[in-house]
Amino acid sequence: PEVPKEDLIWQDPIPLGNKSYKVTEIKDLLKNSNLTKLEMIETAWASASTFRTSDLRGGANGSRIRLDPQLNWKVNKPDQLKKVLKKYENISSETGASLADIIVLGGCIGVEKASGKSVPFLPGRGDASQENTDIESFSVLEPLADGFRNFQKEDYDVSPEEMLLDRAQLLDLTASEMTVLIAGMRSLGISHDGHGVLTENIEILSNDFLVNILDMKYEWKTVSDNLFDGYNRSTGKKVYTATRVDLVFGSNSQLRAVSEVYACEDSNDTFINDFISAWIKVMNSDRFDI
């Protein structure tokens, strides 16, 4: 009886979402939107990865990525994000689906295009309003570092790989889930400054990142505290660049053991399946209604 009947702003209220629309119709509109799979995947990750198991705040439900303060966070690439959201808004007004659902569905389509496999999608998210978003309290959710996107806002006393583990723990990810998500996103070219993209083909989801990070034909030399150049030992030619977050999958014994399993010649299919499972987990992490 003491529970207040009204929604309070500190509860991050979100209206119920619409489920009665044709997902296939929106899929077709998204595929014809001229957005790249990279843009759709990055937008979906930026929206969903704010979730925190510590206090159950953040996440894709509510599509607060389109509102202040999240819209202008540096990690979310504001210029790209606004371009993507403009197209999503047109699709939302045309179909009646929430922007939150379209953002997640767009990411799923991007993964489908890259993997050639079906990615399950669960509709029903709602769109929060700016009036019901406490800008000051949401500002503390801004990622100072997101190793999944190889982003670090500035230099900190805490190492990038430690901040990665903190982010993975907040998302309730296992070591294997963290590994496949980072490796998969690097294979698609997702990295804030382009470091760690250890593949020749960013059009397909693959285990190339793990194969090359473990390959002893490359020698890694320090450029700065958080940047390394990879040289081919035979030719002496610089081939790749990587960060501490990238190289930890070769240097840490536990993560290297996980990486070796997924880097096997016959493990690519398993890698893709596990990436999709981990992706779905993050996209639905704040769906308390399921």
Side-chain angles (χ1 to χ4, degrees):
E2 295 180 0
V3 175
K5 292 180 172 58
E6 71 275 20
D7 288 329
L8 303 172
I9 194 170
W10 59 265
Q11 295 173 307
D12 301 338
I14 301 170
L16 290 174
N18 175 27
K19 295 182 182 178
S20 57
Y21 59 83
K22 292 182 179 178
V23 174
T24 53
E25 178 188 353
I26 298 175
K27 274 191 169 186
D28 291 337
L29 290 170
L30 286 168
K31 288 174 182 176
N32 296 321
S33 65
N34 294 322
L35 293 172
T36 67
K37 57 179 174 289
L38 185 73
E39 290 170 333
M40 292 192 288
I41 291 171
E42 282 190 321
T43 301
W45 178 264
S47 182
S49 64
T50 53
F51 181 72
R52 312 193 305 187
T53 55
S54 58
D55 56 9
L56 307 183
R57 297 188 73 199
N61 198 5
S63 64
R64 283 189 164 91
I65 193 171
R66 77 192 199 285
L67 307 173
D68 284 329
Q70 294 184 41
L71 181 62
N72 294 302
W73 287 349
K74 183 179 178 182
V75 65
N76 291 340
K77 297 183 178 178
D79 291 339
Q80 174 183 293
L81 177 60
K82 289 169 187 175
K83 181 190 100 172
V84 173
L85 289 176
K86 188 174 181 180
K87 296 204 173 186
Y88 283 175
E89 285 165 1
N90 293 334
I91 295 173
S92 176
S93 60
E94 184 178 337
T95 61
S98 68
L99 270 168
D101 270 352
I102 293 172
I103 288 169
V104 172
L105 183 56
C108 292
I109 288 173
V111 174
E112 284 184 349
K113 283 183 176 181
S115 65
K117 299 194 176 208
S118 176
V119 179
F121 167 74
L122 187 68
R125 296 167 184 81
D127 290 331
S129 66
Q130 188 69 69
E131 293 72 27
N132 280 326
T133 301
D134 186 345
I135 293 177
E136 186 176 354
S137 71
F138 260 93
S139 294
V140 302
L141 271 69
E142 179 181 3
L144 301 178
D146 182 358
F148 294 90
R149 288 177 277 181
N150 234 346
F151 171 83
Q152 188 164 316
K153 193 172 182 180
E154 55 187 76
D155 292 330
Y156 301 99
D157 291 336
V158 181
S159 69
E161 58 270 32
E162 289 175 302
M163 298 180 83
L164 166 67
L165 288 178
D166 182 59
R167 172 64 48 186
Q169 185 271 331
L170 286 172
L171 288 169
D172 193 30
L173 296 174
T174 65
S176 297
E177 289 168 339
M178 181 183 76
T179 300
V180 294
L181 282 170
I182 288 180
M185 286 200 261
R186 292 294 186 279
S187 77
L188 297 175
I190 296 176
S191 177
H192 198 77
D193 292 317
H195 304 304
V197 182
L198 314 183
T199 182
E200 303 304 319
N201 186 1
I202 61 170
E203 295 302 314
I204 60 171
L205 181 63
S206 71
N207 62 354
D208 284 358
F209 170 86
L210 297 175
V211 171
N212 288 317
I213 209 74
L214 300 177
D215 199 327
M216 290 306 295
K217 74 179 178 184
Y218 301 117
E219 179 183 6
W220 295 94
K221 296 182 180 180
T222 304
V223 177
S224 65
D225 186 53
N226 191 35
L227 184 62
F228 302 81
D229 286 340
Y231 293 85
N232 186 304
R233 293 180 190 271
S234 301
T235 64
K237 181 183 176 182
K238 175 183 166 182
V239 185
Y240 298 119
T241 61
T243 65
R244 293 173 65 99
V245 164
D246 300 319
L247 294 180
V248 75
F249 292 94
S251 63
N252 179 272
S253 59
Q254 294 180 47
L255 289 177
R256 187 180 181 94
V258 174
S259 300
E260 285 173 347
V261 172
Y262 287 115
C264 291
E265 197 171 288
D266 58 352
S267 293
N268 196 53
D269 202 52
T270 301
F271 170 82
I272 292 173
N273 289 335
D274 288 359
F275 176 91
I276 291 172
S277 295
W279 176 267
I280 296 166
K281 178 178 178 177
V282 174
M283 293 301 115
N284 293 333
S285 56
D286 64 341
R287 292 296 301 274
F288 309 117
D289 56 327
I290 60 173

